């Protein structure tokens, strides 16, 4: 909870099964206490992004699903986690670099 990570991929014996968001974690702790199993409270809807899927498509799908994060799979194995927060940070950095480059060129 003290860290900055908001979303957590959930694995079952190494196989990706879902995502647990900080909001879902907090709600589960309120409802079930600290003894609740992660697998019982994680979102297990099978939604994921494929590693070769265009980022824009994955973000559009996340927004349409009302999700803040999706596990990223490659050949069925978890290789990462895409979050709206991390995508937003990338966009901010890219825009700042573009503004710097255009200002420098003038």
């Amino acid at each position: 909870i003290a860290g900055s990570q908001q979303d957590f991929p959930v694995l079952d014996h190494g196989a990706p099964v879902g995502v647990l968001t900080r909001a879902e974690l907090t709600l589960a702790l309120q409802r079930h206490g600290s003894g609740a199993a992660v697998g019982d409270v994680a979102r297990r809807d099978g939604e994921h992004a494929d590693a070769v899927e265009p980022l824009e498509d994955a973000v559009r799908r996340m927004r349409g699903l009302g999700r803040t994060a999706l596990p990223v799979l490659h050949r069925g194995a978890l290789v990462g986690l895409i979050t709206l927060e991390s995508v937003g940070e990338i966009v901010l950095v890219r825009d700042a670099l573009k503004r710097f480059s255009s200002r420098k060129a003038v």
Side-chain angles (χ1 to χ4, degrees), residues 27-75:
L27 185 60
L29 289 171
Q30 290 172 354
R31 290 183 177 167
H32 308 290
S34 61
V38 172
D40 292 339
V41 296
R43 187 179 295 196
R44 293 172 162 256
D45 58 10
E47 290 291 338
H48 68 277
D50 192 277
V52 297
E53 179 178 359
L55 180 60
E56 187 175 308
D57 293 350
V59 169
R60 187 179 308 114
R61 219 162 23 87
M62 287 170 60
R63 288 187 174 138
L65 294 167
R67 301 286 297 270
T68 59
L70 284 178
V72 179
L73 307 183
H74 180 66
R75 297 183 181 157

